[in-house]
Amino acid sequence: MVGGGHPIVVQSMTNTDTADSASTVNQIMALARAGSELVRVTVNTDEAAQAVPTIVQTLRSFGVTVPIIGDFHYNGHLLLKKYPECARALAKYRINPGNVNIGRKVDDNFRVMIEAAVEYDKPVRIGVNWGSLDSVLLTQMMDDNNKLAEPLDAMEVTRRAIVESALRSAAAAERHGLGRDKIILSAKVSNVQDVVDVYEKLAARCDYALHVGLTEAGLGSKGVVATTAALSVLLQQGIGDTIRASLTPLPNGDRTEEVIVSQQVLQALNLRSFTPQVAACPGCGRTTSTFFQDMADQIQNYLREQMVVWREKYTGVEEMKVAVMGCIVNGPGESKHADIGISLPGTFESPVAPVYIDGKLATTLRGDHIVAEFRDLLDSYVAGRYAQVKLETVEV
């Protein structure tokens, strides 16, 4: 469920050729394992549309129940009408109003897609993007602006046109029979300040569920930082019911990074919890060894991998706080604040690593097997604390 007070939903999108059903299934499964709660696939050809039912059926046979969204551009009205099994298999449709009625004065193509959604009882995301904004609407608004005594700058008109396109399309969808509760709007721009302004305007003018994201966020740290900046400002205002981090992966890069970034944004803002968090110091002259950094990385990865199993067995484990610290300055204190933490020896310190559990010194580790021994302590702590929580919840 999206909107209406439900938790903010994390979604992602495949970058495989949807017609290649095996590759698409594998990527969807990876995204779902990472925690994506909705996965969008491109449906742009006859072959892609024909593959969708097989993809969904295969996923279900593996026990993967993540809803699949169909992303339609230009020819979606033809594909949804020609391939009813595709229309039925998808959980939601995504329509871009800027390219669904190219060269037409009426919204026949848009109407056909909405009617398919009504027939098969599917929600629709009406996704406006400034890279494919309705040129007729934008030209009209630019012309009207030029007639004003004090015209607005072109980017402000563009931002207003983005909002107007989304709202007019939503109104048209309702006229064609789609329920208000079946409509999700998005209005994406690739500049942080612009996307914040657009969504603030959109949220002020409607109560539709909103999908929030920074489009074409980019590569590496630029994409992560820009996405985090935009999402954080909007989510902190209560704007956004579902989010995506539109990151550009490196060639053969890990597509699941966009899921992890979205989860971390929500978790950092205390809006949702997905996986135990590891506090680790940045390192300084007191930590000339890289051991604590390697250990922090190993423990964070271990926790994320274990969550696939833990989330099915233990209630609340995603909120666990873990500390892996590098020296005596803040190590013991930070470890005491965590549910379970370890303070590793810094440069010239005694080669011992005290472990704190629920704020108290529990044991001291030393030697060459600290990582493995700390993992064992983590497993025991989770099994003891969170299994008990689940049992108590059931008994109540």
Side-chain angles (χ1 to χ4, degrees), residues 107 110 114 167-178 208:
D107 70 347
F110 180 83
I114 295 299
L167 294 175
R168 289 188 186 186
S169 298
E174 289 197 63
R175 285 198 306 272
H176 296 317
L178 189 64
Y208 295 108

Side-chain angles (χ1 to χ4, degrees), residues 15-31:
N15 61 356
T16 58
D17 178 359
T18 306
D20 182 351
S21 57
S23 295
T24 303
V25 165
N26 288 336
Q27 191 171 90
I28 291 172
M29 291 177 69
L31 292 166

